[in-house]
Amino acid sequence: MIAIREAWKAGLLGREHWLRNIVSGVIVGVVALPLAMAFAIASGVKPEQGIYTAIIAGLLVSLFGGSRLQIAGPTGAFIVILAGVTAKYGVDGLQIATMMAGAILLLLGITKLGALIKFIPDPVIAGFTAGIGVIIWVGQWKDFLGLPKISGDHFHERLWHLIQALPGLHVPTTLLALLSLLLVILAPKVPGVRRVPGPLIAMVVVTALHSCFQFDGVATIGSAFGGIPQGLPSIGLPEITLPQIIELIGPAFAIAMLGAIESLLSAVVADGMAGTKHDSNQELIGQGIANLVTPLFGGFAATGAIARTATNIRNGGNSPIAGFAHAVTLILLILFLAPLASDIPLCALAAILFVVAYNMSELKHFKRMVKRAPKADVAILLITFSLTVFSDLAIAVNIGVILAMLQFMRRMAASVGVQLMVEKELEAELRMNGHVHLPPGVLVYTIEGPLFFGAAETFERVLAQTHTDPGTLIIRLKRVPFMDITGLQTLLEVIEQLRKRSIVVKLCEANEKVLGKLDKAGVLQALGSQHYHADFSGALGSYAEIDKPQG
């Protein structure tokens, strides 16, 4: 309950703040209504399940989350995963996967791994969100154009079948959809109604038109789902079996990771807009609790909703009271206005999702990244995008992150330098230690950068290329921030190889952490304690009588 505690400490729970938060919550609740139904239908479940999700998740995240401004509920980002889970495992499978994802999120928050999500690179996030946008957009063609049901297991198959079906579009449905799309886009720009959510205006206007004229062949919530029940759901637990749990581990993990990314991105956006600071681990705990409980009330996966959170802030919300008001608004709407939902055309919800898909794709950001980012990052962006669209979101994110990690390690390895230091570079240090020249038979190498597995081969190769066998080789570790086990083993192997060539190896200037690892890995024992020195002058100490300046 960190968000509530922080709001209380900031004095935001006083009565003088109630009205602004209640007004903001009501507005967000009205915005959430058409979106919740649209996301539910696109995910393969009934529209009321989207409303239940927004109510329960909205309450629990406002109560237990780490951001006092966060508004939670179903989001467009989940559609691709959830629709696939519903198609393969049914609604029960979807709810079990959601609960498993909730447990994973809860575990991530309890073990304080929330900060790790920020290490997912931007090209990966931009790639899969743009891919999700494309899938949602194409997935809504059927309802937007009034096309017959389309089959196909893969995106390219469904797209081809949709293109083939285009000549059979239903004209009244398409015209209502186009009107809805125009209202969603243009209504916020019209003076006098700009504060009324565009999706709500589109849904009300198009529903009123259809109610008056009853256009033949236009699919509605009533014709497709039998309407929306008037009332709240009863608590029920889906039947859970061990084989189901094992089979749903993959989808549950994908839901959890996407939910974590989406909720923390939303919290960051909220911080930027309102000047607050969220607790990422507590936010994951709140999201975990919400996803564990929501399926018990007929809901499905939920996360922090960026658009609804931003709407909350823009309308004056500054405490969890707005989140509670948002949930109460949805409860009142489903209790008193549910019968009116039967006439809502599915094409109106499809038009709303068209706009959601466009906003999610962040087309300008995607194009800018393609033009300006380094080639390797552009490749990761396009690979993640392509795999999201044509393969699978979980595969896309995993491969995108792996490629980004490999690219980072390649850059890190390339930044590690193993250089032979010439006398001119050492002139000042030699003079300080009473030398005119570097003692004969002594070579000095310096390592710059982390000596980890990616750079170990470079280190070994450079030292192996020493053209003449010196009597002593000094390796300076001053600029080595850390070593991993591969780097330590490589250093040990190099010491043994040089020793076989009768070359004395001296190490010097390691920082405290690196020195501890050298000791623990047995490098200092193999080297001999007399051959490690805290500073460079100590490594030169045995040559104190050689090459002294003559008086």
Side-chain angles (χ1 to χ4, degrees), residues 389-471:
V389 173
F390 295 105
S391 180
D392 178 81
L393 177 61
I395 292 173
V397 173
N398 288 336
I399 290 180
V401 169
I402 290 170
L403 289 175
M405 289 171 60
L406 291 174
Q407 171 63 7
F408 172 75
M409 287 187 288
R410 187 182 71 83
R411 288 173 178 166
M412 286 285 289
S415 70
V416 177
V418 183
Q419 298 176 345
L420 174 65
M421 300 189 75
V422 297
E423 263 194 6
K424 191 172 183 180
E425 295 175 294
L426 296 167
E427 187 176 349
E429 290 179 282
L430 289 172
R431 192 180 299 116
M432 287 174 60
N433 287 281
H435 294 280
V436 177
H437 302 288
L438 195 66
V442 175
L443 290 181
V444 179
Y445 277 88
T446 183
I447 304 174
E448 297 188 5
L451 189 54
F452 70 113
F453 65 91
E457 188 270 337
T458 301
F459 168 71
E460 191 171 18
R461 186 183 68 251
V462 170
L463 290 186
Q465 290 174 348
T466 303
H467 298 297
T468 57
D469 281 359

Side-chain angles (χ1 to χ4, degrees), residues 324-409:
F324 300 150
H326 143 265
V328 171
T329 300
L330 288 170
I331 292 172
L332 294 175
L333 288 171
I334 202 170
L335 286 176
F336 297 105
L337 300 179
L340 301 179
S342 292
D343 283 331
I344 297 175
L346 297 184
C347 62
L349 300 180
I352 292 169
L353 287 180
F354 267 28
V355 177
V356 169
Y358 176 79
N359 292 335
M360 179 176 292
S361 67
E362 294 188 318
L363 187 58
K364 292 181 181 178
H365 179 58
F366 190 93
K367 289 166 66 177
R368 186 166 57 249
M369 191 175 291
V370 169
K371 289 180 181 178
R372 299 180 182 178
K375 290 181 179 178
D377 291 326
V378 173
I380 292 169
L381 170 72
L382 296 177
I383 289 171
T384 306
F385 170 79
S386 300
L387 287 172
T388 300
V389 173
F390 295 105
S391 180
D392 178 81
L393 177 61
I395 292 173
V397 173
N398 288 336
I399 290 180
V401 169
I402 290 170
L403 289 175
M405 289 171 60
L406 291 174
Q407 171 63 7
F408 172 75
M409 287 187 288

Side-chain angles (χ1 to χ4, degrees), residues 36 96 117 122 289-290 369 482:
I96 293 169
I117 303 299
D122 193 36
I289 293 171
M369 191 175 291
F482 69 86

